[in-house]
Amino acid sequence: MTIDRAVLLFAGFMVLLSLALGFYVSPWWHLLTVFVGLNLVQASFTGFCPAAIVFRKLGCPAGVAFK
């Protein structure tokens, strides 16, 4: 799995998790969804993604977006 796919998988998982927590625990968890969305937008403009750095250190091969 490349870094690109790992980042997309992680972001999707975090969105689904925050929606479930917002529904079952507290609506304040929806702020995590906002944070993930804002992080994806800024990463598309700047190319800087903290999750990509973590996945690179874990040994995932570089994809097209995060070389």
Side-chain angles (χ1 to χ4, degrees), residues 24-50:
Y24 290 112
V25 178
S26 169
W28 286 102
W29 280 103
H30 291 140
L31 291 176
L32 181 58
T33 305
V34 173
F35 175 74
V36 171
L38 289 174
N39 195 12
L40 287 170
V41 170
Q42 75 83 24
S44 70
F45 284 113
T46 65
F48 174 75
C49 179

Side-chain angles (χ1 to χ4, degrees), residues 3-29:
I3 293 174
D4 302 346
R5 289 182 179 223
V7 167
L8 291 175
L9 176 67
F10 181 69
F13 176 76
M14 292 305 293
V15 167
L16 292 175
L17 177 67
S18 66
L19 289 175
L21 288 170
F23 183 75
Y24 290 112
V25 178
S26 169
W28 286 102
W29 280 103

